[in-house]
Each structure stands twice: as C-alpha cells, then as structure tokens.
Amino acid sequence: MKFSNKWLKSYRFLACALITLLFMAHTAHWLHIPTLQRMENILYDLRLRTTVVNTVDPRIVIIDIDEESLAKEGRWPWRRDKLAYLVDVLFDYYNVKLLGFDVVFSEPDTSAGVELLEKMASGPLQQDAAFLSTLETMRPQLSYDDMFAQSLENRPVVLGYFTSPKIEKTPEVGMLPAPLAEADQLPFSPFLYEQKSYAGNLPKLQTAALSGGFFSNPNVDEDGVYRRLPLLINYNGQIYEALSLALYRTLLGMPEVKFITAEGYGKSAINNPRLEGLDIEGFQVPVDQSATLLVPYLGRQGSFPYVSATDVLNTNVDVEKLKDKIVIVGTTAAGLLDLRVTPVQNVYPGVEVHANILSGLLDQTIKSKPSNMLWTELAELLLICLLAIFVFPRLPVFLSAVIVGVLLISVIAFSFYCWAIWNIDTILASPIILLTALYGIQLFFGFFFESRKKKQMGNMFGQYIPPELVEQMSHSDEEFSLKGESREMTVLFSDVRGFTTISEGMEPQELCELINDILTPVTRVIHESKGTIDKYIGDAIMAFWGAPMHNPQHAAYAVRAGLAILQALTTIQKDFKAKGWPEIDIGIGINTGKMSVGNMGSQFRIAYTVMGDAVNLGSRLEGLTKQYGVRMIVSESTLLAAPEFTYRELDKVRVKGKHKPITIYEPLGVTEGISHEQLQMLDLLNQGLHGYRQQQWAAAQTIFEQLAERYPQDKLYPIYLERIAYYLESPPEIDWDGAFTHTRK
C-alpha cells in the first residue's frame, strides 16, 4: 500500500483528535480510564505532600487508646464505668470544650454480671431477703452502661458510628442520631452515597449524647487511599452527617445546614441540580455532588497532640494541655484496626483523618473542585491538542521540544498555583500525559515522513544497489558511502552439492520451483542474521557481514547464520521428499578478513559487492566441504573473531593459489550446548592431530582408528588413515609443516 503525505497527515490529525477526546471524556466523567485515574491520584498525592504545612494544631487533642493504655488498663473494649470516669475526668478535671468518640458502643456491657445476679434472684436466692436487698442497693453501681450514659448527659459529646453499603446479617444495630434532613426534600440526594446497614450506639448512650456522626468512608479510592470523605450519606431516606461535621456543628451550637446547588451536567445530572457546598453560618464548605470533600491533611501523623488514655485516667497530663480543647478519643493500636493509607503516610490513624477535616473546617481551608472548573480543564486539553496538530509539525525538532518543556512546566505551575493560592484542585496527570502522548505522535509521524523520504531516495538508487541494502539504509541513521573502502568483514558462500546432476532430470519450471524452495529459506536466515545478500550464482549464494552497516560481531553472525542454514536444510529435505524431489545437500564456507567493499562494475551495470583474497578464500573453503565430508568450514580468522562457538579442527591446508597454509575448522555449535561426548571426541582428535603433525604415525594411526570405529559415518578420519598409510611408505620431507596442499578448487 502506498501512503501519500496527505494520507499520513490525516491519520496524524485523527490520532491526536481521538486521544484528546478520550482524555476529555475521562475528565468529564463520561468515561473511566483506570490507568489515567491512577496517575491523577499519584500526582495528587505528590502535590499534597509537597504543599502540606507540617504544623501541629493545638486546638484538637487526640486521646489515644494506644498500646500503653491497653497494657495498663486492659484489653479493649474497656468497661463502661471506666469510660464514664474518662468522660468525667475530661470535663470536670481538665475542662475540655468538646468530646468526640471515634469508636462505637453497639453492644451492652455485661462485665458486671448483673444478668447472672438477676437470674439468681429469680431462682435459688429468691427467698433470700438480704441478697435481694443488697442487689437493689448495688444495681445502679453495677449498670455500667447507665453510668456511662449519665456521664454523657448535658455535655457536648458526639458519638461515632459505622455504616456500610452492604446489607449485613444484622442491618440495624443500636440507634442512629437524629437525621440532618429528609432525603426526598433534597433534589440532589440521588447523588449521595446510599448505605444499606449500620452499627450504631446503644439507644441509652446515643440519647444521652448531644449528637453523633459516622466515621466510615464509603468513598475510598480504588487504590485504598483516603483522599476524600463524604460529609453526608443517605440511609433509608434520611440524611446523616459525618463525625467531623457533627463535631464542627456541635462546637458552633448546632446551626442549620443549608445546601448550595448548581445546575448539573453529564448523563446522570438530567433534571437534578448538583450539590456545590454546605453553608454553615456563612461558611461555605466546598463539596462535590456526592457531598465529598478533599481531606485537608496538615502533614504526617502527629499533626495534632496525642495524649495516652491511661495518662488521662490517672490524671498524669498537665491540665493546660487539655483545657478548652476539642478532644477526640481514638486509637493507634494496630490490633484495633483503625489504621489507614493516606497520601501523606501509608500507615495513618483513622482518628487523625477526622481531626484534619475538623481543623480544615475551623480554619476554612478546605480544598475544592468547583463544577465550573471542568470547562477550564477541557479547554486546557483542547489547547494542547490544537498545538500538537497545527504548531508542533511546523517547528524544528529542537524548538518543538523546548516548547513542550515550557508547556509542561506551565501546566504544573498552574496546577500548583490553583492548589496553593485558590485552594482549587485541578487535573494534572491528564494534561501532562496528553501533551507527552501527542508530542510522541508528532515524533512518530515525523519519523514516518523522514523514513519515507529515505525510502524514496533509496528507490532512486535501487538499480545500482541490492534491495537488502536499500531496506537497511531506509531504517538507519548511519551515513553510508558507496565508494570503495577496506573493512574487516566476514563472507559466506553456500552451494548445493551435485546440483548439475539434479537439474539434468527436471523440467525447467520444476527446476525453478526447486531453486526457489532452496534459496528462499536460506535467504531468510541470512536476513534474520543481519547479513547482506551479495548475489545469487545459480544454486549458490554469496553473502557478507560488516557492510554496509558496521557490525563488530560480523563473524559471530555469519557462523550463526551458517548453523541456522543447516537446521533449515532438515526442513527443506523433508519438503523435497514429500514432493518426490531428489535429496539435496549444502556446503558452506566462511572466512573473515580485510575486504574491499563498495560500488563495483562498469558504466553499464554496477553493484555493491566485496572483493579480495579473503573473499576468494571463503569460496575455496566452501569447495573443501565435500572433500572433508562436512557441511560447513570456517577459517582460523573466523574462529578467532567468533570464540563463543566450539569448533572441530579439520586440517591445515594450502588452498589452490595460496602458498601460506591455513587451519580450517568445522563449527559444532554454541559452546554452552556442546555435549560431554563431543568434548571427548575433540580431545581425542587433537591428540591424533598432534601425533600426525609430529610424524608419530603409529600413535596417530591408533587414535584415528578409534575415532573411525566410533564414528563410521564421518569421512574425516579415513582421510587421515589414508595419509598415514601413504607417509609410512613415503615419509614427507624433513621441513614438512603438517599442511596438505589442495590442487583443486
């Protein structure tokens, strides 16, 4: 398929527009992209941790049911008479202003054994007047729940309770406080979190307390982090308030809560106004349509003074530390399961989450995300898209990269400015990722255009250089020169044995098909091994490594290609047998050395090829494969350049046209895959070759006889036995160097 520049520009435009629409749909809550939301959460946490004030708010003190308190006062839950004493001490001795409980008292305290005493009074001791009289006298002192309720009466105490979105086995435990409003009177109530069950406090306790609020969080983010918490929930058509809001209203004398609404947007907002905030005596608490606010964390754990509950019970705390303070009873003990994951700390006491919200309400520093901010965020994403489509492609790469960097800094600065100065939360991950993605698309299509230009130029010179070279040139940034140069390279020659005889008995069309079935898989192997096909010579192939692209491992790639060709030969032979064609075999010669490479030919025809003695030697090595009964032979220079393979030494020879002897080898495979038997064979062969070259004919003959007996199909060992027999009758010259001279190509 041919791609015009106009086609590529259209697809670039469509890709940018589609990605931008996905991001905008996610921002408008029409589409949920989990990965993008996760990135938003991560950057939200980073921004929060960067800007927290890390101060301690002394107005709110946490009475901590910590490990020390459990060790000294006993395991939780404590007896209600002890809790009653705690309340009395806090109000009568320490004169606290307000008390909240981040715990629930849903079950009666039976630790005094009143039920057992009453059972005895109606049973075996019903006639015992003294027992009955004592029981009536002691009853008020043994009803710990009544004692606790009496301590709560007429005091500013807010009890906490738990709600759940699931229907539990016992959906209603204890008693809920008075609701804040009727759900059917509030048009935005369908957006509030609806709870299905609750665990409240004992009726006598909740009635005695001034107020109550839920401390559960139905809006924990997908990653389990407490970033937001609803101030209102809907249960059974009634609206109830959170513990922090109940504490705030109790502190102000229980003022009325007014609801600030605006026109909604989105699929679920049809005919329903959107909740924007809660008006409490003129202070507008910013919440979203589900009455959820962003928890205004002051910092890590310890943003509020902690006092151990056991120290309060024993009045070991300085009075001034608690006088006129807002006190919240909670726990940091790990066994009581009130530890949360927050943006500022992975292990964070749940009681301090409520303290942070109360502190933010008191200081009126709650972060918000107004509904009209959505249009600013969508405009920001749209602007990024327009820049990517119409501006970036017209700029140089360096200048566009600078502009992208400036835009990224501007997006981050704008988000931090809104957060720190205006207390407004804005998206941060979406514009950053969108800008990066669209710029990446521009780079991709820019590369596409450039690659296409290279390919067009390559096609112009395709009549001079091989298609393989054109393909490599179109995908590489390397500067190429077609001028002749000398390089260290590796050349491979592959030839089909006995092809002339095979071709004589075949029709031309069938012969062409046979040749194609041989050369296609062999060519594929060479291409996969990063080799360049030089030429096809009938049934033979010439290829080289190390040009036109530099490759320091050219020898290793060539040897690996040779081994892969031999593996492919097995498949070729099976296919030929299935077609009724004669069985074929292949010989491969590989040599490494200095070669001349470049454009060579005439004014009528020119080709990119290699020449030189090293090339000729590669061709000679391929010719020797049949004489030694092997399929592949490499030179000593190739062995030195590709040491990761194990080789079998074949001989020391002088090829036709060369006076200097060379050692030739057969590659057996990658060293890690060589078997123990092969290693034993190589060791025995090396001993035989040593004896042969030292003219120790008897010892060498014995070794080669052993090898020939063990490997009867191997043609190499009979060659040496035949030579030894000849030299026993006609010893070589005194200066014999152990080399054998081949007089045929």
Side-chain angles (χ1 to χ4, degrees), residues 285-296:
V285 183
V287 295
D288 64 12
Q289 64 182 2
S290 62
T292 299
L293 58 64
L294 300 170
V295 180

Side-chain angles (χ1 to χ4, degrees), residues 522-714:
V522 174
T523 302
R524 184 181 299 114
V525 168
I526 293 173
H527 283 170
E528 291 173 352
S529 300
K530 301 183 179 181
T532 298
I533 300 293
D534 185 302
K535 60 178 67 73
Y536 299 105
I537 312 169
D539 58 305
I541 292 180
M542 175 182 171
F544 54 83
W545 282 258
M549 300 182 68
H550 286 277
N551 185 351
Q553 296 181 316
H554 50 83
Y557 276 102
V559 174
R560 192 173 289 111
L563 294 172
I565 290 172
L566 297 182
Q567 289 181 346
L569 178 63
T570 303
T571 303
I572 296 173
Q573 290 174 338
K574 290 181 180 179
D575 294 341
F576 278 26
K577 185 176 181 181
K579 293 180 180 181
W581 290 348
E583 183 176 338
I584 66 164
D585 207 348
I586 289 178
I588 298 172
I590 299 176
N591 183 43
T592 300
K594 286 285 185 180
M595 305 175 191
S596 296
V597 58
N599 254 359
M600 301 180 192
S602 67
Q603 61 179 354
F604 303 103
R605 185 171 182 177
I606 196 169
Y608 188 79
T609 185
V610 291
M611 295 182 65
D613 288 343
V615 178
N616 297 333
L617 178 57
S619 176
R620 300 288 190 273
L621 296 180
E622 183 277 319
L624 293 178
T625 55
K626 188 174 182 180
Q627 298 184 40
Y628 286 89
V630 296
R631 288 174 171 166
M632 180 161 55
I633 293 179
V634 304
S635 65
E636 185 175 5
S637 58
T638 301
L639 177 146
L640 295 175
E644 58 265 44
F645 301 93
T646 295
Y647 302 84
R648 178 174 72 155
E649 183 178 342
L650 298 177
D651 203 355
K652 188 175 182 181
V653 300
R654 290 184 182 86
V655 298
K656 182 176 176 59
K658 293 287 183 181
H659 178 72
K660 185 177 179 181
I662 62 168
T663 306
I664 59 175
Y665 301 86
E666 178 192 16
L668 300 181
V670 180
T671 300
E672 289 76 7
I674 301 302
S675 66
H676 180 68
E677 180 184 356
Q678 287 177 303
L679 294 176
Q680 287 183 326
M681 177 271 294
L682 291 176
D683 183 62
L684 193 60
L685 173 60
N686 290 334
Q687 295 179 34
L689 291 174
H690 178 75
Y692 170 78
R693 288 167 184 158
Q694 295 297 319
Q695 301 186 33
Q696 298 172 359
W697 309 120
Q701 184 177 28
T702 301
I703 292 175
F704 284 115
E705 285 176 349
Q706 293 177 15
L707 290 170
E709 183 179 359
R710 186 181 302 179
Y711 304 101
Q713 301 300 322
D714 200 315

Side-chain angles (χ1 to χ4, degrees), residues 276-340:
E276 285 283 338
L278 308 177
D279 189 321
I280 305 175
E281 287 196 338
F283 170 47
Q284 296 184 1
V285 183
V287 295
D288 64 12
Q289 64 182 2
S290 62
T292 299
L293 58 64
L294 300 170
V295 180
Y297 291 101
L298 294 176
R300 295 173 62 85
Q301 179 182 355
S303 298
F304 305 90
Y306 277 74
V307 175
S308 179
T310 186
D311 291 338
V312 176
L313 289 169
N314 294 283
T315 62
N316 293 331
V317 183
D318 184 14
V319 174
E320 294 300 321
K321 193 170 185 178
L322 295 176
K323 185 178 180 180
D324 295 327
K325 306 296 184 183
I326 302 169
V327 172
I328 305 177
V329 178
T331 179
T332 61
L336 299 185
L337 305 178
D338 192 34
L339 299 176
R340 305 286 181 252

